[in-house]
């Protein structure tokens, strides 16, 4: 099998050019005719500074997202 899988993480509240980052990435994936794109909401994780984060009602706008592009 040949191909690639690009995964990266960001916060739910991130925007790019006034558009939610998840919507923007999915539209770019479609424009590039990628085989697939997946957005997953993270429940818990550790950030680049080693700080622990978990999803809760109070932290909703900064919950982590994982993007996988194929």
């Amino acid at each position: 099998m040949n191909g690639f899988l690009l995964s990266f993480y960001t916060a739910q509240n991130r925007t790019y050019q006034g558009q939610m980052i998840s919507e923007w990435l999915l539209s770019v994936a479609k424009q590039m005719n990628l085989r697939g794109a997946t957005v997953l909401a993270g429940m818990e994780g550790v950030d680049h500074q080693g700080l622990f984060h978990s999803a809760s009602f109070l932290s909703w706008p900064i919950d982590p997202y994982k993007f996988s592009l194929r």
Side-chain angles (χ1 to χ4, degrees):
M1 175 183 284
N2 295 324
F4 64 92
L5 174 65
L6 174 65
S7 297
F8 60 96
Y9 302 84
T10 188
Q12 179 180 358
N13 65 343
R14 299 288 173 122
T15 60
Y16 179 73
Q17 297 180 347
Q19 190 175 18
M20 295 303 297
I21 197 78
S22 57
E23 295 172 4
W24 178 77
L25 280 166
L26 293 174
S27 68
V28 169
K30 187 174 182 179
Q31 291 171 9
M32 295 177 66
N33 294 319
L34 297 182
R35 296 187 75 177
T38 305
V39 180
L40 300 171
M43 296 299 295
E44 296 181 333
V46 177
D47 68 14
H48 65 281
Q49 296 176 336
L51 300 174
F52 177 78
H53 299 272
S54 64
S56 71
F57 178 74
L58 299 176
S59 70
W60 177 73
I62 58 170
D63 287 347
Y65 269 9
K66 176 185 178 185
F67 293 90
S68 298
L69 306 173
R70 296 175 289 288

